[in-house]
Amino acid sequence: MKQLLTFLFAFAVLSFGEMKAQENIDTYLESYETANVDHKLKLFFHFYSKLNTIDKDTILYYINDLQREGVKNKREDVIAMTNFGLAPYLQNNSLFDEASTRLKSAVKYYKKVQNDTMLSNCYNVLGSIYFLSGNIDKAETYFNESYRYGVIAGAERFQMLPIFNLARIKLERGDFEEAKKDLERYISYLKREKGMTRKLASAFALMGQLYLNQQEYDKALVNFTTSMEHSLTVGVLKTVANGYTNLAIVEFYSENYERSEQYFQLALSYRIKDNDKYYIAEGYYNLGDYYMGVNLMDSALINYQRSLKVGEEFGNLVVQKDALLQISNVYETLGNTDLQIATLKEIIKLQDELKKEQKSKDLMALKVSHDQSLTEVLNNGDIREEELKSQVVRYNAIFNNWLIVGGFILLGSIVIVFLLLRKRNN
């Protein structure tokens, strides 16, 4: 009964939190439509990361709009911001090289104007790109650069930008003590600041992962629970579902299987309420893994099939492939060779479709990037042309001024010579 009341209370808190978050983003977007280019630049920096979380494709509208403003007004700072904003979109499409190129272009501008805060931001995102692409050493280099520019900027919030990511790298390498120090420092900072609840949820979740990796399940559970408490106040359903998933994993490793199942079910409930098909499929998939782990193959098969069905409903081939792979494993465990072979044939067919789909996505994302590159080159050409024209005008003005000064000097010299000759004659 207590658990049910907590569940209902969580839904109420989440509904309020979601409405408040949506109101904030809507206010930004409404202001953006009628703002001038300077105000648009500031608004974009504030809402782009939040909008990226809500809708990864909608952000393109604002990137393209801001780019048009940059071209129209010949503003390099605006173009640099569109490069910064486009990088996460390219990253989400696994176009890591393109995303890196965009950011390095932005870095070049921000170095020219010595904008340390934006350099800290850019290097942090660059680090994330290399981290996701598996280049840990290069990622660490960029995260350290982000921290360095944060120190130069003299603002603690920019120093803290890469700390969470540096902790992830240390955790990845098994350097638990150093990762823990970074996380403790990061959490201490977040507690002192306002509006950091969501980041606190992520920080405690990573601390939970740190203890989970060390098989300290009690401490992992405490941190995952704290993460959940913060997630509930934020009001983001996906974050709460991830929190329950983390709790389920800890309980599973602690061999509290009944509680683990309850948490997996709760996570799925939040995903269904959120109505994001991808994460609903993930919820069923996780349940399938749980039942497979406790050797309940029929229940595992049912949940993998549900995950497959959801993947088919919204046409996600990756989700379908992942579900089919696990279905194949279940059939293998059950000794059902015929159904396993049939499933493997479906996987092969899906793999061919996946290759075609990925090429199409890559081409679309590349087109967006290349269109922006072309516009940027043309715009920079216009800016340089204007700079050259202004330099010519300036040099002409200087030359004309020197002619005038020279003329006065010459005239003065003639007058002086004339007066001297006159005086001598007298």
Side-chain angles (χ1 to χ4, degrees):
M1 182 65 182
K2 184 180 178 182
Q3 190 180 50
L4 179 61
L5 287 173
T6 305
F7 186 57
L8 292 172
F9 173 73
F11 269 5
V13 171
L14 283 166
S15 298
F16 175 75
E18 283 182 299
M19 286 190 292
K20 189 175 179 182
Q22 192 59 50
E23 283 175 10
N24 289 339
I25 191 72
D26 287 345
T27 302
Y28 280 133
L29 299 180
E30 189 176 334
S31 300
Y32 181 92
E33 293 301 327
T34 55
N36 62 28
V37 63
D38 291 309
H39 196 200
K40 280 186 174 184
L41 188 63
K42 291 175 184 176
L43 286 168
F44 181 84
F45 179 75
H46 283 296
F47 72 65
Y48 97 97
S49 58
K50 296 177 184 176
L51 191 62
N52 234 322
T53 305
I54 298 168
D55 188 340
K56 293 178 174 63
D57 291 326
T58 302
I59 194 67
L60 282 178
Y61 166 79
Y62 294 98
I63 289 171
N64 290 331
D65 179 78
L66 195 64
Q67 189 190 43
R68 282 193 294 271
E69 291 287 345
V71 171
K72 185 172 69 176
N73 293 281
K74 295 182 169 55
R75 294 279 296 270
E76 282 188 274
D77 56 338
V78 177
I79 295 294
M81 183 60 74
T82 60
N83 280 325
F84 175 67
L86 184 61
Y89 170 83
L90 297 169
Q91 177 185 301
N92 290 332
N93 285 279
S94 299
L95 294 171
F96 300 118
D97 289 340
E98 285 293 317
S100 175
T101 300
R102 298 289 97 218
L103 280 168
K104 286 174 181 176
S105 176
V107 163
K108 187 177 179 182
Y109 169 76
Y110 291 127
K111 277 187 174 179
K112 184 175 80 172
V113 297
Q114 298 182 332
N115 188 329
D116 299 321
T117 57
M118 282 307 300
L119 282 168
S120 181
N121 271 297
C122 287
Y123 279 121
N124 186 51
V125 180
L126 265 170
S128 296
I129 288 168
Y130 283 103
F131 183 84
L132 289 171
S133 61
N135 193 333
I136 305 298
D137 291 337
K138 204 158 190 177
E140 186 176 29
T141 299
Y142 283 123
F143 288 139
N144 283 326
E145 276 295 281
S146 174
Y147 181 79
R148 188 172 73 86
Y149 277 103
V151 171
I152 293 169
E156 190 179 14
R157 69 191 185 100
F158 292 107
Q159 295 172 32
M160 289 296 109
L161 270 178
I163 292 295
F164 178 80
N165 290 317
L166 284 167
R168 289 168 69 195
I169 285 178
K170 289 165 186 175
L171 181 58
E172 183 85 8
R173 289 175 172 161
D175 192 353
F176 300 123
E177 284 305 311
E178 288 301 315
K180 185 181 175 183
K181 285 178 186 176
D182 282 347
L183 281 172
E184 285 174 342
R185 180 185 174 191
Y186 185 60
I187 289 168
S188 176
Y189 161 74
L190 294 176
K191 284 180 176 178
R192 297 195 306 269
E193 299 295 313
K194 292 181 180 178
M196 297 294 185
T197 310
R198 187 169 182 175
K199 290 183 178 180
L200 272 168
S202 298
F204 279 112
L206 190 61
M207 187 71 87
Q209 185 65 48
L210 183 147
Y211 285 117
L212 182 61
N213 287 6
Q214 297 178 88
Q215 298 181 358
E216 296 185 46
Y217 301 128
D218 290 342
K219 290 181 179 179
L221 193 60
V222 168
N223 281 279
F224 282 135
T225 302
T226 307
S227 174
M228 271 297 309
E229 290 167 357
H230 285 91
S231 296
L232 287 168
T233 60
V234 171
V236 179
L237 291 166
K238 287 182 182 67
T239 307
V240 177
N242 289 338
Y244 276 124
T245 302
N246 288 331
L247 289 172
I249 291 168
V250 176
E251 295 292 3
F252 183 86
Y253 282 116
S254 302
E255 298 183 2
N256 296 320
Y257 298 123
E258 187 177 344
R259 197 177 298 169
S260 176
E261 181 184 8
Q262 289 173 352
Y263 283 136
F264 276 126
Q265 293 282 6
L266 277 171
L268 177 61
S269 299
Y270 277 104
R271 297 194 192 287
I272 290 171
K273 185 177 186 294
D274 190 37
N275 199 32
D276 187 317
K277 297 289 187 183
Y278 178 85
Y279 289 102
I280 292 171
E282 186 183 79
Y284 283 122
Y285 185 94
N286 289 338
L287 264 173
D289 281 352
Y290 164 78
Y291 287 121
M292 199 169 184
V294 294
N295 205 33
L296 295 173
M297 292 301 164
D298 289 339
S299 295
L301 184 61
I302 289 168
N303 281 280
Y304 289 137
Q305 287 171 337
R306 286 172 178 168
S307 180
L308 174 63
K309 184 180 178 183
V310 175
E312 290 171 344
E313 285 173 2
F314 76 111
N316 190 303
L317 299 178
V318 175
V319 167
Q320 293 173 50
K321 181 187 172 184
D322 289 344
L324 283 169
L325 284 168
Q326 290 300 80
I327 289 169
S328 171
N329 290 334
V330 171
Y331 285 140
E332 183 180 10
T333 304
L334 293 172
N336 197 328
T337 308
D338 291 341
L339 286 175
Q340 185 190 7
I341 291 170
T343 305
L344 289 171
K345 286 179 179 178
E346 289 183 56
I347 292 170
I348 293 168
K349 183 181 176 184
L350 265 179
Q351 187 62 41
D352 291 336
E353 292 178 35
L354 262 170
K355 287 179 182 177
K356 293 175 185 176
E357 182 183 75
Q358 190 59 46
K359 283 181 181 178
S360 177
K361 283 183 178 179
D362 288 353
L363 286 170
M364 184 181 72
L366 281 168
K367 183 180 184 302
V368 170
S369 179
H370 289 162
D371 285 349
Q372 181 166 339
S373 297
L374 178 60
T375 307
E376 183 180 349
V377 168
L378 293 173
N379 180 61
N380 286 342
D382 288 342
I383 291 171
R384 291 190 190 99
E385 189 177 338
E386 291 295 323
E387 288 175 350
L388 286 171
K389 285 179 180 177
S390 66
Q391 284 179 3
V392 169
V393 170
R394 191 164 65 251
Y395 291 150
N396 281 336
I398 292 169
F399 181 71
N400 290 335
N401 289 337
W402 273 109
L403 281 177
I404 293 169
V405 170
F408 278 118
I409 291 171
L410 180 63
L411 183 61
S413 299
I414 292 169
V415 170
I416 290 169
V417 169
F418 175 76
L419 290 173
L420 288 171
L421 290 173
R422 187 177 177 184
K423 185 176 178 182
R424 184 181 295 173
N425 290 332
N426 288 335

